[in-house]
Amino acid sequence: MRFFTNLLKLSEIALKPKQILFLLLLIIAGYLGNYFKLTLFFGVDFLFGSIAVLIVVAIYGPFWGAIASIISSSHTFILWGHPYAMIIFTCEAIFVGLFIRKKSQNLLLLDGIYWLFVGMPLVVIFYSGIIKVSAIAVLLIILKQSVNGLFNAMICSLVVNCFPVNQWLKVNKNKHTISWQQLLFNILIAFVFFPVMIINMNNAMRSTESIESAIVKDINFLSLVFKYDLEYWYENNINILNRITNDLDVVNKNSILNFQEKLEHIQTIFPQFQKIYLVNNLGEVIATSPKKIKSYINVNQDPDFWKLKKYEFSITTNIVSTSENNKILRLGMAIIKNNQFTGAILCEMNIDELNKLVKNIKINQDFYISIIDKNKQIIATSLENIKSLEKFTLYDHKIIRKLDSDVVHLLTDSQKIPAIVKWEKSFYAKTVSLNNNVGFQLVIQIPTKPQIDYIRAIYIKNLGIMLFTAIMALIAAMLLSNKLVQPVLNLTQVTTDLPQKIIAEEEIILDNSIITEIDSLTRNFKSMILALNEMFQEIKRATNTLEERVEERTQELSITNQELESEIIRRQKIEAILRDREERYELAISGTNDGIWDWDLTSNQIYYSPTWMRILGYEHKPLPHLFSTWADNVHPDELQIALSDIKNHLVVCQAKNCEFERE
């Protein structure tokens, strides 16, 4: 249940239009990557669709990766005739998608783990247990699909790591970063894997071309040899008939007994002739061997006889039915005397003679020979499951691939048979017509399976080397990338929270590296740590000094605050006394009829008593306590005199604390 929850996790996220468009483009690219395959040899294809599928997995997660894999790998059903490859590729997308976000970000490593522990066992189950292909074919498929999968995963990993696709699609809001160790890992494997892969693929395709070229030469050579042997066999029998006809004179009917003796003697010498007939120009049998009770059998209606009589052919070859289940090969030759047709000799042979001829041919190579007549019947064949006189159906329901002008490769067109089985049951063929007198065709067949097994063995070796190289490259890349990156990771760990470590006086150990650049970086970090340590010590000392000064200043401020508090209390007491005096003064002046005004020369503030306001008539609307209020109420004629007196008083009494009074 948890598996399906994880699988469907990303499907709940609403995709933006740009993300949907890119997803569709990747799915189409995946299908086209499988459609435009690279055929290595004999139905073994190299596919590229999983590159786009794994990109979908890395960006969109396992759910959309599984959907993309199902769609893109559906072409393998058309290509190979079974759904098992589609299941294996879909499992690859799900496996990588589920673990890439949890266990590791190394897509190539995860794909290698999948093929080692899941993909290879699935190939064995499907191809060996269900399709029932040979062990060598299963081993080839295991190696080919594993290498193919690792190659595609490597391409995908380079694309995902080197191009900020996630950032462009805004699938991940985090900044796109590249793991140096993973990048080194992928690059190291690519530099090892790519050349080996290209060389082996090129060798496989060239080997296929060489093998098929050799097959064309072999089948052409075999056809010439067998054609020569068959025509030689035929000519040998025709020469025997020719010698017989030269010694016979069917015009003289009185020598019938002599004819009979000659035919019996000929049959004794040439036992391949089961029956020999001697006929005159009317088609009447005048002698036979072996001798029959019915001495004269009319063959006047036989088409072969009329061909000989009308000079259409001097020799005839045909398959004749003597009964429902028995057919023979009949040779005929006209007897010409003085440019006139005087009769013919007909010989019957068992078609087993041709079968013996075909099966007695021994060549150190797998091949099959079939002889067919003009009615497309098999007269003789070296095929074990084919009987004589069966209908010739070699080219029926076949996909014909032409290799030469006469040599073709025949593959069954049945959709129910897996492609790998079709190739194992396919064969190369060439049909050669014998001379016109014979009227037969010779068919040479070379089965593809021995050639497939031969090149499979070669390619299994190459793929095994390639897979071993890939595994060694994986291990070497992991060790080398770790060796290169580990010092940097150590620097990262050591310098994380470096200020806190320096403050806590933790021991910071930086190991030197054998790599010059990293060693220089380590020395620079050591220098920086020493400088920072000195700076932090100075700051610490300054902090300690500052604390002492702050403590002293705090004590000074505390004393000052105490003094200020005492001063405030003293002033508060003085202010209270002054307020009491002012209140008593107010009470004193309020009980008199004198108008009093006071001028504070320091602050230029003037005070007018209520009595002063009342005397002037402003008791209810007091005038402002300003100098102008006094000046405006002095008689204009006395204003200057009053101002002059005030001035003189101020000059004389500046040093004395005296008062000025004027009525």
Side-chain angles (χ1 to χ4, degrees):
M1 190 67 184
R2 188 176 179 182
F3 168 80
F4 291 102
T5 302
N6 294 332
L7 182 61
L8 297 173
K9 186 175 181 180
L10 188 60
S11 63
E12 299 175 357
I13 300 177
L15 298 178
K16 298 178 181 179
K18 182 165 63 174
Q19 297 170 353
I20 294 174
L21 177 61
F22 192 69
L23 176 62
L24 292 175
L25 290 176
L26 286 175
I27 293 175
I28 294 172
Y31 188 89
L32 293 177
N34 292 332
Y35 181 82
F36 294 103
K37 65 186 186 303
L38 178 63
T39 300
L40 301 180
F41 62 90
F42 302 128
V44 177
D45 303 308
F46 209 82
L47 306 181
F48 304 97
S50 62
I51 297 175
V53 171
L54 291 175
I55 294 175
V56 173
V57 170
I59 297 175
Y60 297 93
F63 176 80
W64 290 112
I67 298 298
S69 180
I70 292 171
I71 295 173
S72 62
S73 61
S74 61
H75 182 69
T76 61
F77 184 81
I78 301 172
L79 186 63
W80 296 330
H82 60 79
Y84 306 116
M86 185 166 60
I87 296 173
I88 294 172
F89 294 147
T90 304
C91 290
E92 177 188 17
I94 295 173
F95 180 90
V96 175
L98 290 176
F99 287 96
I100 194 171
R101 297 173 183 266
K102 293 183 178 182
K103 302 296 182 182
S104 172
Q105 292 293 325
N106 196 327
L107 187 144
L108 178 58
L109 182 60
L110 286 175
D111 197 72
I113 294 172
Y114 167 79
W115 282 108
L116 184 61
F117 295 102
V118 181
M120 290 183 178
L122 286 178
V123 171
V124 174
I125 292 171
F126 290 138
Y127 285 84
S128 180
I130 298 177
I131 302 180
K132 305 292 184 183
V133 298
S134 61
I136 190 172
V138 174
L139 181 58
L140 174 66
I141 295 168
I142 288 174
L143 295 174
K144 195 280 297 182
Q145 290 197 3
S146 301
V147 171
N148 196 170
L150 288 173
F151 177 83
N152 292 346
M154 182 167 49
I155 298 294
C156 170
S157 185
L158 290 173
V159 171
V160 171
N161 287 325
C162 297
F163 297 97
V165 183
N166 280 333
Q167 190 173 354
W168 178 70
L169 293 173
K170 297 181 180 179
V171 174
N172 190 351
K173 295 183 180 179
N174 298 329
K175 183 180 178 181
H176 177 74
T177 58
I178 302 174
S179 170
W180 186 24
Q181 183 175 4
Q182 187 172 344
L183 185 61
L184 284 174
F185 178 83
N186 291 333
I187 291 175
L188 289 172
I189 293 178
F191 272 102
V192 174
F193 198 58
F194 277 169
V196 177
M197 186 76 182
I198 293 172
I199 291 171
N200 279 278
M201 290 173 62
N202 182 59
N203 289 339
M205 290 185 288
R206 293 181 63 181
S207 297
T208 305
E209 294 175 358
S210 299
I211 287 175
E212 289 197 329
S213 177
I215 288 174
V216 170
K217 293 180 180 178
D218 290 344
I219 204 168
N220 285 329
F221 172 75
L222 291 174
S223 63
L224 289 175
V225 172
F226 299 151
K227 180 183 178 182
Y228 173 80
D229 289 346
L230 190 58
E231 289 182 345
Y232 176 79
W233 175 85
Y234 177 80
E235 291 294 336
N236 186 43
N237 289 303
I238 293 300
N239 289 334
I240 294 172
L241 294 182
N242 190 36
R243 288 199 299 268
I244 296 173
T245 57
N246 290 334
D247 295 336
L248 295 177
D249 182 9
V250 297
V251 177
N252 186 1
K253 293 184 180 181
N254 295 324
S255 59
I256 292 177
L257 293 176
N258 189 27
F259 294 157
Q260 186 69 43
E261 292 177 358
K262 287 184 178 181
L263 293 181
E264 291 176 355
H265 179 69
I266 292 171
Q267 190 176 25
T268 302
I269 299 174
F270 305 105
Q272 67 268 30
F273 298 134
Q274 290 184 332
K275 295 181 181 180
I276 304 175
Y277 298 92
L278 182 63
V279 298
N280 57 19
N281 60 351
L282 299 178
E284 297 173 345
V285 177
I286 57 177
T288 65
S289 178
K291 186 177 180 181
K292 299 295 182 179
I293 298 176
K294 295 182 179 179
S295 301
Y296 299 97
I297 301 175
N298 192 349
V299 294
N300 188 44
Q301 304 300 322
D302 194 316
D304 290 340
F305 173 77
W306 284 100
K307 290 178 182 179
L308 295 172
K309 186 174 182 178
K310 293 180 178 179
Y311 295 93
E312 293 180 6
F313 297 96
S314 59
I315 303 171
T316 61
T317 306
N318 199 4
I319 300 297
V320 180
S321 298
T322 58
S323 64
E324 184 177 354
N325 298 322
N326 186 30
K327 293 188 178 182
I328 58 172
L329 171 64
R330 188 168 66 184
L331 303 178
M333 177 174 286
I335 300 174
I336 307 298
K337 298 294 184 180
N338 299 323
N339 294 325
Q340 289 185 356
F341 176 77
T342 60
I345 186 169
L346 303 175
C347 296
E348 295 180 359
M349 301 176 62
N350 194 320
I351 58 175
D352 289 339
E353 294 292 331
L354 287 175
N355 279 319
K356 291 178 182 178
L357 177 66
V358 167
K359 293 179 179 179
N360 286 335
I361 299 176
K362 302 295 182 182
I363 296 180
N364 189 21
Q365 185 173 355
D366 292 330
F367 67 93
Y368 302 104
I369 306 172
S370 297
I371 302 173
I372 58 176
D373 65 2
K374 59 185 178 181
N375 296 321
K376 299 299 180 183
Q377 288 181 323
I378 298 175
I379 302 173
T381 182
S382 59
L383 292 168
E384 296 180 357
N385 297 327
I386 303 296
K387 296 181 180 180
S388 299
L389 305 178
E390 284 189 7
K391 195 69 176 178
F392 181 74
T393 58
L394 177 66
Y395 295 94
D396 295 348
H397 306 291
K398 296 293 191 302
I399 299 173
I400 301 175
R401 184 168 59 96
K402 198 168 185 179
L403 302 179
D404 196 4
S405 57
D406 297 320
V407 181
V408 295
H409 178 251
L410 302 176
L411 195 72
T412 180
D413 61 359
S414 175
Q415 300 297 325
K416 298 180 180 180
I417 303 176
I420 191 169
V421 178
K422 289 182 182 179
W423 276 90
E424 288 185 346
K425 294 184 177 180
S426 66
F427 49 85
Y428 298 90
K430 179 177 182 178
T431 301
V432 181
S433 296
L434 302 180
N435 61 48
N436 293 332
N437 290 330
V438 179
F440 294 156
Q441 287 184 320
L442 180 66
V443 179
I444 311 296
Q445 295 174 243
I446 295 180
T448 310
K449 192 176 185 307
Q451 316 304 324
I452 293 178
D453 289 342
Y454 171 74
I455 199 170
R456 277 175 178 170
I458 296 176
Y459 205 68
I460 283 172
K461 179 180 177 181
N462 293 338
L463 284 175
I465 294 172
M466 195 183 307
L467 188 60
F468 177 77
T469 304
I471 294 173
M472 290 297 101
L474 280 171
I475 297 173
M478 291 177 63
L479 296 176
L480 186 57
S481 61
N482 183 67
K483 187 72 175 179
L484 293 173
V485 175
Q486 191 60 43
V488 180
L489 293 177
N490 292 337
L491 286 175
T492 304
Q493 293 174 357
V494 170
T495 54
T496 301
D497 299 327
L498 184 61
Q500 287 77 7
K501 293 179 180 178
I502 295 175
I503 293 172
E505 297 183 355
E506 294 182 6
E507 185 179 6
I508 300 174
I509 300 175
L510 292 176
D511 297 327
N512 293 329
S513 175
I514 60 174
I515 302 172
T516 304
E517 291 78 5
I518 297 178
D519 190 61
S520 300
L521 183 62
T522 303
R523 290 198 300 270
N524 292 338
F525 267 102
K526 287 181 179 179
S527 302
M528 183 186 69
I529 291 171
L530 291 175
L532 287 174
N533 194 17
E534 292 178 359
M535 292 177 63
F536 274 105
Q537 292 299 327
E538 292 179 2
I539 293 172
K540 187 176 181 179
R541 288 193 294 268
T543 302
N544 294 333
T545 304
L546 182 61
E547 288 177 354
E548 294 175 357
R549 293 178 60 189
V550 168
E551 185 176 356
E552 292 175 358
R553 186 61 178 167
T554 302
Q555 292 177 356
E556 292 176 357
L557 289 175
S558 178
I559 295 171
T560 304
N561 286 336
Q562 292 176 0
E563 293 176 352
L564 287 174
E565 288 177 357
S566 300
E567 181 66 22
I568 290 170
I569 293 172
R570 188 180 67 80
R571 286 179 178 272
Q572 287 176 349
K573 291 179 180 180
I574 294 172
E575 288 176 356
I577 294 170
L578 289 175
R579 281 195 300 271
D580 291 342
R581 289 180 179 180
E582 287 179 357
E583 289 176 357
R584 287 195 296 271
Y585 178 75
E586 288 291 336
L587 290 174
I589 64 174
S590 64
T592 66
N593 290 323
D594 295 331
I596 298 172
W597 67 282
D598 183 73
W599 183 13
D600 187 352
L601 295 175
T602 304
S603 62
N604 200 30
Q605 291 182 350
I606 299 178
Y607 170 75
Y608 300 103
S609 67
T611 304
W612 191 90
M613 293 290 183
R614 180 171 52 79
I615 293 172
L616 294 180
Y618 294 100
E619 181 180 5
H620 300 292
K621 293 182 179 180
L623 296 173
H625 295 267
L626 299 173
F627 180 81
S628 62
T629 300
W630 173 84
D632 292 342
N633 286 283
V634 177
H635 194 276
D637 294 337
E638 296 180 355
L639 179 62
Q640 292 299 325
I641 297 172
L643 292 174
S644 178
D645 290 341
I646 293 171
K647 184 177 181 181
N648 291 332
H649 175 78
L650 293 174
V651 172
V652 174
C653 299
Q654 185 175 7
K656 301 179 180 180
N657 188 12
C658 58
E659 295 182 357
F660 173 76
E661 294 182 359
R662 197 175 192 281
E663 295 183 357

